[in-house]
Amino acid sequence: MNKKKIFNDPVYGFVTVPTELLFDLIEHPYFQRLRRIQQLGLTGFVYPGALHTRFHHALGAMHLMSMALRTLKDKHIKISAAEGEAALAAILLHDIGHGPLSHALETSIFHEVPHEQLSLYLMQRLNNEFNGALTLAIEIFQGSYHRPFFHQLVSSQLDMDRLDYLNRDSFYTGVQEGRPGADRLIKMLTVADEKLVLEEKAIYSIENFLVSRRLMYWQVYLHKTVTSAEQMIIRIMQRARDLARTGHALPASPDLQYFLAKPVSLLNFEQDDTILQRFVQLDDTDVWSAVKMWANHPDKVLSYMSRSMLDRHLFKIVLQSEPFDEEFQLGVVELIADHFQLPPDEAKLLMLTGRISNNAYDADGKDTIDVLTKRGRVVNVAEASDLPNIRALSQRVEKHYICYPKEIAQ
């Protein structure tokens, strides 16, 4: 059977799956599940075209990785066939542990179970199935391989993951200003002392990438309406979880019901193999079918929020630079209690507060974007650039939000 397949990607054109192992990984049920998980969760409520999946993104990231490896080989960086295939497998599987609706389940059902750790568990499982063929890919994914630039291509402040999701998300949302100039950045990559660096002439391209990233965060990922929708789905799942754990009947798929009914930590995933098997059965369909059923649930809070999500009757959201004072929050809860005839402890559940923050570049972190100067020095791009912009982009901007039903604001 011919396993060297070509697929047509709307962002990059024809993309090749270069080896049999990679093809078999794509065909695996764990990877096929990513077709049923949208890359941008609820962003489609604001940008109707943003309906692409994590399956698209993983294949796109693999394509950019193959371009990066080719660039490095052309610059006489020695990369063996095994290392190349392992790097492609690591980026292909980097998101395999993602739960439904982006990050909603990470914070509402599980207790501190990051998707990166679940990705690692699934890669280890696949490694057993494929008789150790992913051992090197796992080392690269974890950052334990002795050539650090491979891990940097998978996970860093300028990795193939970020380049693809900025490229792809700007394409599908139609936010053209968010395109990061991935092709030129990849052409400027090189390696110094086994670390990933960019040639000095890439400085303006790096700045363009960071500007694109900041713009995409405020205009797409942290868009205030998207934030409202995401916080609503998180609160819906939290309410469903609390009801399920206090003995209320709650219709849901068996696997979603399992996670709603009992607390699951990272330790539980490590100790009980069946929990991971349940997790890989979950996708966006489980959440949306449950929300449809919960819209008719006798619990007022759950049914109101579920119906609101289905009808896109999203909560009003207000943003400001300072936290909202307690008096204002108490006033909002009183209005909710009065309008919906709810006791204060339930009315409080229809008010959502929190903060969002963004810095396009962490200039002081251990994982910086480094530039190789013409004199052979490796320096942080924030120091190499004569533009004040990169320093400015590393400043963290924080906004506080409060969300509540629009009915009380009328």
Side-chain angles (χ1 to χ4, degrees), residues 88-159:
L88 290 167
I91 195 73
L92 185 71
L93 301 175
H94 77 282
D95 265 355
I96 203 164
H98 248 292
L101 290 186
S102 196
H103 297 273
L105 260 72
E106 279 184 51
T107 51
S108 56
I109 293 182
F110 304 140
H111 179 62
E112 294 177 357
V113 180
H115 71 269
E116 295 88 352
Q117 193 61 45
L118 295 183
S119 291
L120 178 60
Y121 290 159
L122 289 170
M123 286 171 77
Q124 288 167 340
R125 223 183 223 221
L126 286 167
N127 196 31
N128 290 335
E129 277 189 45
F130 285 88
N131 301 315
L134 293 176
T135 302
L136 183 51
I138 290 169
E139 284 181 30
I140 288 171
F141 180 77
Q142 289 184 288
S144 59
Y145 188 54
H146 68 90
R147 305 184 75 188
F149 76 87
F150 283 112
H151 176 71
Q152 289 176 287
L153 286 167
V154 175
S155 180
S156 66
Q157 290 201 72
L158 184 62
D159 55 31

Side-chain angles (χ1 to χ4, degrees), residues 38-266:
Q38 282 186 13
Q39 172 72 8
L40 289 182
L42 299 166
T43 307
F45 277 4
V46 177
Y47 295 99
L51 300 175
H52 54 301
T53 65
R54 294 207 171 266
F55 182 86
H56 290 141
H57 162 58
L59 292 173
M62 182 190 73
H63 172 66
L64 293 186
M65 177 66 86
S66 66
M67 285 174 59
L69 295 174
R70 202 175 310 128
T71 294
L72 295 177
K73 283 179 187 173
D74 288 347
K75 293 177 184 179
H76 308 296
I77 311 298
K78 284 191 164 54
I79 296 172
S80 69
E83 287 173 325
E85 184 178 62
L88 290 167
I91 195 73
L92 185 71
L93 301 175
H94 77 282
D95 265 355
I96 203 164
H98 248 292
L101 290 186
S102 196
H103 297 273
L105 260 72
E106 279 184 51
T107 51
S108 56
I109 293 182
F110 304 140
H111 179 62
E112 294 177 357
V113 180
H115 71 269
E116 295 88 352
Q117 193 61 45
L118 295 183
S119 291
L120 178 60
Y121 290 159
L122 289 170
M123 286 171 77
Q124 288 167 340
R125 223 183 223 221
L126 286 167
N127 196 31
N128 290 335
E129 277 189 45
F130 285 88
N131 301 315
L134 293 176
T135 302
L136 183 51
I138 290 169
E139 284 181 30
I140 288 171
F141 180 77
Q142 289 184 288
S144 59
Y145 188 54
H146 68 90
R147 305 184 75 188
F149 76 87
F150 283 112
H151 176 71
Q152 289 176 287
L153 286 167
V154 175
S155 180
S156 66
Q157 290 201 72
L158 184 62
D159 55 31
M160 300 307 107
D161 173 28
R162 288 184 188 195
L163 285 179
D164 180 76
Y165 75 61
L166 290 172
N167 238 348
R168 190 166 300 280
D169 298 347
S170 62
F171 177 88
Y172 279 98
T173 55
V175 180
Q176 292 302 322
E177 309 91 323
R179 304 211 77 164
D183 286 8
R184 178 166 167 78
L185 281 167
I186 288 171
K187 290 279 185 286
M188 298 292 111
L189 289 173
T190 188
V191 171
D193 296 327
E194 295 297 335
K195 300 268 179 67
L196 195 67
V197 295
L198 289 108
E199 295 170 15
E200 191 173 5
K201 58 188 173 184
I203 283 176
Y204 298 111
S205 299
I206 297 168
E207 185 186 26
N208 174 58
F209 160 73
L210 295 175
V211 169
S212 300
R213 189 162 185 266
R214 166 153 278 186
L215 189 142
M216 285 295 285
Y217 267 84
W218 288 126
Q219 208 167 319
V220 178
Y221 310 131
L222 299 176
H223 187 288
K224 66 177 194 171
T225 309
V226 175
T227 300
S228 173
E230 285 179 350
Q231 292 309 310
M232 283 177 73
I233 201 77
I234 287 169
R235 182 52 54 85
I236 287 168
M237 299 309 291
Q238 287 171 339
R239 182 61 174 167
R241 173 199 68 194
D242 294 343
L243 289 169
R245 291 177 193 176
T246 49
H248 290 77
L250 208 69
S253 68
D255 295 300
L256 181 57
Q257 221 156 27
Y258 175 85
F259 288 108
L260 289 171
K262 56 162 67 178
V264 174
S265 67
L266 209 50

Side-chain angles (χ1 to χ4, degrees), residues 231 319-320 323-324 352-356 399-403:
Q231 292 309 310
L319 295 166
Q320 63 181 38
F324 290 87
L352 314 169
T353 58
R355 61 184 179 179
I356 50 178
K399 297 179 184 179
H400 297 262
Y401 63 80
I402 186 167
C403 310

Side-chain angles (χ1 to χ4, degrees), residues 290-297 302-308 310:
V291 169
K292 282 173 74 176
M293 290 186 280
W294 297 342
N296 299 309
H297 196 274
L302 184 64
S303 60
Y304 171 74
M305 293 191 80
S306 298
R307 174 54 57 197
S308 298
L310 293 173

Side-chain angles (χ1 to χ4, degrees), residues 208-382:
N208 174 58
F209 160 73
L210 295 175
V211 169
S212 300
R213 189 162 185 266
R214 166 153 278 186
L215 189 142
M216 285 295 285
Y217 267 84
W218 288 126
Q219 208 167 319
V220 178
Y221 310 131
L222 299 176
H223 187 288
K224 66 177 194 171
T225 309
V226 175
T227 300
S228 173
E230 285 179 350
Q231 292 309 310
M232 283 177 73
I233 201 77
I234 287 169
R235 182 52 54 85
I236 287 168
M237 299 309 291
Q238 287 171 339
R239 182 61 174 167
R241 173 199 68 194
D242 294 343
L243 289 169
R245 291 177 193 176
T246 49
H248 290 77
L250 208 69
S253 68
D255 295 300
L256 181 57
Q257 221 156 27
Y258 175 85
F259 288 108
L260 289 171
K262 56 162 67 178
V264 174
S265 67
L266 209 50
L267 190 64
N268 297 130
F269 272 101
E270 286 172 16
Q271 292 173 343
D272 185 351
D273 210 35
T274 63
I275 296 177
L276 195 62
Q277 200 48 49
R278 284 183 178 277
F279 173 78
V280 293
Q281 300 305 315
L282 289 178
D283 55 49
D284 290 3
T285 318
D286 294 83
V287 175
W288 282 118
S289 59
V291 169
K292 282 173 74 176
M293 290 186 280
W294 297 342
N296 299 309
H297 196 274
D299 181 77
K300 271 189 179 181
V301 171
L302 184 64
S303 60
Y304 171 74
M305 293 191 80
S306 298
R307 174 54 57 197
S308 298
M309 281 302 291
L310 293 173
D311 297 344
R312 199 193 176 277
H313 182 60
L314 302 178
F315 282 11
K316 179 178 176 60
I317 179 168
V318 181
L319 295 166
Q320 63 181 38
S321 53
E322 299 298 319
F324 290 87
D325 64 62
E326 215 166 303
E327 209 172 302
F328 177 73
Q329 293 186 40
L330 285 170
V332 170
V333 172
E334 275 179 33
L335 287 170
I336 293 170
D338 187 50
H339 185 277
F340 292 96
Q341 299 296 295
L342 288 170
D345 60 329
E346 289 190 14
K348 204 185 291 182
L349 298 173
L350 294 179
M351 180 188 72
L352 314 169
T353 58
R355 61 184 179 179
I356 50 178
S357 64
N358 171 32
N359 62 331
Y361 177 54
D362 183 2
D364 303 314
K366 56 175 184 170
D367 158 41
T368 53
I369 298 174
D370 293 334
V371 170
L372 181 66
T373 67
K374 291 187 175 73
R375 294 181 178 179
R377 284 179 61 235
V378 174
V379 293
N380 186 330
V381 67

